[in-house]
Amino acid sequence: MATKVQLAEQVKRMLSGGDSRSDSDIDIREIIQAVESARDSVIFQLLTTTVENAQSPSFSDTELYSQLTEKKHISAGTAYNSGYSYAIPEYLLLPEDKGLYSVTKKNSFKETSMYVRAQGVPGFWNSVASSEGLLTYYVFSDGGSPNIWTTNSGAIDVRYIPTTKNIASTTELKGGGIIDDAVVKSVYQMYVPMTQIMKDNLGDNVPKINK
């Protein structure tokens, strides 16, 4: 696994091709932003094309999902609109909201209850599950980070796929391997035309020797 900075540095080395003049014209911060965007796109493509049936039992057991998800524990909600609101981390937007993998309520040390998305609300991926014995929740945005609203108070655990821009630059990115390779390739291909123009312009400025 690699960090965002390491992937960006790899792209920068590939683009420079050993030419220090070209290398100096490439801003590593810009490449890091490109890495963030490309990684989210790669993950989106992998998760939407490799899983044929989002409602099948195998969907929740997908190895890639288990590698990419993170867990956030939120000890208590804030009273809001006759219920409770929980601010949750920004997560990757996938069809039917699959980027929000699961939400559980901690009833006691040994007991937990699953939340499911309320009927009629656009798409938590397992919303077809029976609501019997389960707690209903909504996801909404307050103009900033996403929030979960429910009528039940107490601590919750949220499993989600974070957006790459919200992962620290020094943190190793989950998934590794095929994802890292695809990200480097995508960003490199995006920058190749730009670096070629830089080299051409540099060559045009070199004085020609009259024979």
Side-chain angles (χ1 to χ4, degrees):
M1 293 187 292
T3 66
K4 292 189 290 190
V5 173
Q6 289 171 333
L7 293 181
E9 289 174 340
Q10 182 178 345
V11 172
K12 188 173 182 180
R13 287 193 299 271
M14 293 168 63
L15 290 169
S16 70
D19 186 340
S20 60
R21 295 171 301 177
S22 175
D23 180 77
S24 64
D25 289 329
I26 306 171
D27 190 336
I28 190 68
R29 293 169 297 181
E30 183 179 327
I31 300 178
I32 290 174
Q33 290 179 344
V35 165
E36 293 171 344
S37 177
R39 184 173 180 271
D40 286 351
S41 179
V42 167
I43 293 174
F44 182 97
Q45 292 299 323
L46 283 174
L47 293 180
T48 55
T49 58
T50 59
V51 181
E52 295 182 359
N53 184 356
Q55 305 299 346
S56 69
S58 61
F59 185 78
S60 60
D61 299 328
T62 302
E63 182 179 356
L64 185 57
Y65 254 101
S66 64
Q67 293 176 7
L68 294 173
T69 55
E70 294 185 3
K71 185 172 78 170
K72 173 75 172 180
H73 178 77
I74 305 174
S75 58
T78 302
Y80 177 79
N81 197 23
S82 301
Y84 298 89
S85 173
Y86 298 81
I88 61 176
E90 184 179 352
Y91 56 89
L92 188 64
L93 295 179
L94 293 169
E96 299 184 9
D97 226 6
K98 300 187 190 85
L100 183 59
Y101 189 69
S102 67
V103 183
T104 56
K105 181 181 184 300
K106 296 293 185 180
N107 294 327
S108 65
F109 180 72
K110 295 182 179 180
E111 181 183 3
T112 61
S113 296
M114 282 294 299
Y115 284 101
V116 294
R117 183 70 65 85
Q119 289 185 354
V121 178
F124 190 48
W125 67 268
N126 64 351
S127 60
V128 296
S130 168
S131 60
E132 182 178 355
L134 302 178
L135 303 171
T136 297
Y137 74 89
Y138 297 83
V139 175
F140 68 95
S141 173
D142 62 356
S145 63
N147 288 260
I148 286 177
W149 181 91
T150 177
T151 56
N152 302 85
S153 63
I156 64 172
D157 287 334
V158 179
R159 290 186 64 86
Y160 65 101
I161 300 177
T163 54
T164 308
K165 72 176 182 180
N166 288 323
I167 300 174
S169 296
T170 55
T171 299
E172 290 189 340
L173 302 171
K174 295 183 177 181
I178 186 173
I179 294 178
D180 289 352
D181 291 344
V183 169
V184 169
K185 180 179 179 181
S186 175
V187 177
Y188 173 75
Q189 291 176 340
M190 180 175 66
Y191 273 90
V192 164
M194 184 187 307
T195 55
Q196 185 59 51
I197 291 174
M198 291 178 184
K199 292 177 181 179
D200 291 344
N201 290 339
L202 184 62
D204 290 341
N205 293 327
V206 176
K208 294 180 173 57
I209 299 175
N210 294 323
K211 294 185 178 180

